[in-house]
């Protein structure tokens, strides 16, 4: 019989010695097998330091983002080029800047026919047409405003408000009345009129352009002092659209001031007297004026008395105070009542102060 290590058919032919001794050199014993350590390397480890042979293609997201960036740049360039083209070829031109016209000024002194009445401010006001007038800015009332064809209601209200601010600054501000400053009125003027205004302050003239008394009310502090700090005021404000880009406001008010001679020394206080100024101011506003809160003055007329006809009233007004009188004016022009508003101004260089405009003590 064959042994356990032999094939069933015995030792194959052609393999001398039975073959077992021939493979003995490649047989691993049990100790070698137990000591062997098998390790499976990953694909990255098997690749080692070798780089890939081909370049990786960008992902779909990267390609989409690049295309969007290129398209955005092209759109910006296209829009920019279109804007330039339209700016060159478009026949529309923006409206020209509306420059303010020079102010036309008129100052008419009103001379009394008799002696100027005197008394306390309360007595004089109580017996004058100004008895029912309101004090200060409260006497300048804004009308009910509405929209026009080209201006919204809010723009109309703004124009009326600017006109009122100028009237207060130029006719009621104590420092302006006393000659201490002109700044409150100047700040509200269109820049195109500042040179004319400054010349009117520095060198007033009776030339229809540079009468300071048409810009504001001012008394010579060396001669006159306010006996009552707040004037009495009454009048109206009207508005109308005069063009697609211009809104006009007309202010027609009468201001009554209580005055007395400037104090000299410590003597008794002199009697007060009333001085009346009827002002008609025509304002014009364009859209830039409304936005910048400033006014353009077209015309301004001031009738003021009691004053002497020969007095230079282009600068500071020169009131005749209590107990004084003007030269004989009995043969002068018809009497003018400065309390009668909504009428044309006196055309003469000097008018006569109506007796009804004086306090009836």
């Amino acid at each position: 019989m064959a042994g356990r290590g032999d094939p069933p058919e015995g030792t194959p032919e052609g393999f001398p010695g039975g073959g077992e001794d021939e493979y003995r050199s490649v047989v691993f014993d049990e100790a070698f097998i137990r000591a062997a350590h098998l390790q499976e390397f990953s694909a990255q480890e098997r690749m080692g330091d070798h780089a890939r042979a081909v370049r990786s293609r960008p992902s779909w997201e990267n390609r989409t983002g690049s295309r969007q960036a290129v398209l955005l740049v092209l759109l910006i360039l296209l829009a920019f080029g279109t804007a330039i083209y339209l700016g060159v070829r478009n026949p529309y031109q923006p409206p020209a800047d509306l420059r303010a016209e020079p102010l036309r000024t008129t100052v008419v002194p009103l001379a009394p026919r008799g002696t100027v009445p005197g008394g306390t401010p309360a007595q004089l006001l109580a017996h004058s047409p100004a008895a029912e007038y309101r004090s200060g800015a409260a006497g300048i009332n804004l009308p009910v405003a509405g929209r026009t064809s080209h201006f919204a209601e809010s723009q109309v209200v703004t124009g009326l408000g600017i006109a009122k601010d100028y009237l207060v600054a130029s006719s009621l501000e104590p420092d302006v009345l006393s000659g201490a400053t002109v700044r409150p009125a100047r700040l509200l003027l269109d820049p195109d009129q500042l040179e004319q205004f400054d010349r009117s302050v520095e060198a007033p003239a009776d030339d229809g352009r540079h009468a300071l008394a048409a810009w504001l009310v001012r008394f010579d502090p060396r001669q006159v002092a306010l006996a009552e700090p707040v004037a009495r005021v009454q009048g109206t404000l009207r508005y109308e659209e005069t063009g697609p880009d211009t809104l006009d406001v007309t202010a027609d008010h009468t201001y009554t001031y209580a005055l007395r001679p400037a104090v000299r020394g410590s003597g008794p206080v002199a009697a007060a007297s009333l001085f009346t100024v009827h002002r008609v101011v025509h304002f014009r506003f364009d859209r830039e004026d409304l936005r910048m809160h400033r006014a353009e003055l077209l015309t301004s007329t001031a009738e003021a008395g009691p004053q002497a006809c020969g007095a230079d009233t282009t600068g500071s007004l020169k009131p005749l105070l209590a107990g004084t009188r003007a030269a004989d004016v009995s043969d002068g022009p018809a009497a003018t009542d400065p309390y009668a508003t909504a009428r044309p101004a006196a055309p003469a260089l000097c008018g006569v102060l109506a007796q009804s405009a004086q306090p009836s003590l």
Side-chain angles (χ1 to χ4, degrees):
M1 283 185 69
R4 292 186 59 185
D6 299 329
E9 300 297 330
T11 301
E13 269 187 73
F15 287 92
E20 185 173 353
D21 293 336
E22 194 172 328
Y23 294 99
R24 186 176 302 275
S25 61
V26 296
V27 176
F28 301 106
D29 60 13
E30 184 176 355
F32 178 85
I33 294 174
R34 283 198 302 266
H37 178 66
L38 299 179
Q39 180 177 0
E40 182 69 20
F41 291 95
S42 65
Q44 185 69 26
E45 289 172 330
R46 289 196 301 272
M47 184 176 66
D49 295 332
H50 297 284
R52 292 184 178 180
V54 294
R55 184 176 60 187
S56 59
R57 299 181 63 186
S59 64
W60 174 254
E61 290 80 2
N62 291 337
R63 293 199 303 272
T64 303
S66 300
R67 290 177 180 175
Q68 289 177 344
V70 172
L71 288 175
L72 179 61
V73 171
L74 291 176
L75 287 175
I76 293 174
L77 292 175
L78 179 61
F80 186 70
T82 302
I84 294 177
Y85 175 79
L86 292 178
V88 173
R89 297 299 301 271
N90 192 353
Y92 172 78
Q93 297 294 331
D97 184 24
L98 301 177
R99 291 189 59 83
E101 301 176 10
L103 170 66
R104 302 189 298 276
T105 63
T106 303
V107 180
V108 180
L110 301 178
R113 279 201 164 97
T115 302
V116 177
T120 66
Q123 290 173 334
L124 296 170
L125 289 169
H127 293 85
S128 78
E132 303 300 324
Y133 285 14
R134 303 179 73 176
S135 297
I140 305 176
N141 298 313
L142 301 184
V144 177
R147 65 171 290 113
T148 65
S149 298
H150 298 90
F151 289 88
E153 179 181 339
S154 60
Q155 292 175 307
V156 174
V157 172
T158 297
L160 292 169
I162 298 171
K164 177 174 180 177
D165 289 345
Y166 184 85
L167 296 176
V168 171
S170 62
S171 303
L172 300 174
E173 177 63 43
D175 287 341
V176 173
L177 297 175
S178 64
T181 182
V182 296
R183 182 175 174 80
R186 190 180 190 276
L187 288 175
L188 291 169
L189 289 175
D190 189 295
D192 293 337
Q193 293 188 319
L194 292 180
E195 182 179 353
Q196 182 187 6
F197 176 83
D198 292 340
R199 180 178 168 186
S200 301
V201 174
E202 298 165 3
D206 187 15
D207 59 0
R209 287 288 186 269
H210 300 95
L212 179 60
W215 293 95
L216 51 82
V217 177
R218 184 172 74 175
F219 303 108
D220 187 345
R222 297 169 297 181
Q223 304 295 327
V224 179
L226 294 174
E228 188 74 22
V230 182
R232 300 291 183 92
V233 188
Q234 182 168 289
T236 60
L237 282 169
R238 302 186 306 275
Y239 69 91
E240 63 174 337
E241 180 184 306
T242 54
D245 297 304
T246 54
L247 180 72
D248 285 17
V249 174
T250 302
D252 188 346
H253 292 81
T254 297
Y255 306 82
T256 301
Y257 306 90
L259 307 176
R260 60 167 47 100
V263 177
R264 294 185 178 87
S266 57
V269 177
S273 61
L274 297 185
F275 188 80
T276 306
V277 179
H278 174 215
R279 294 187 74 192
V280 180
V281 184
H282 184 183
F283 299 90
R284 173 159 293 171
F285 302 96
D286 57 30
R287 299 182 189 279
E288 186 68 8
D289 292 330
L290 296 175
R291 188 179 70 85
M292 299 300 294
H293 198 85
R294 66 194 188 195
E296 173 191 346
L297 277 61
L298 288 183
T299 62
S300 178
T301 300
E303 300 172 327
Q307 293 186 99
C309 281
D312 181 9
T313 57
T314 57
S316 297
L317 299 172
K318 296 176 173 58
L320 292 172
L321 300 177
T324 63
R325 60 184 301 153
D328 186 13
V329 293
S330 58
D331 296 330
T336 299
D337 184 0
Y339 289 97
T341 58
R343 60 172 177 78
L349 297 178
C350 186
V352 175
L353 184 62
Q355 190 63 35
S356 59
Q358 296 277 36
S360 57
L361 297 177

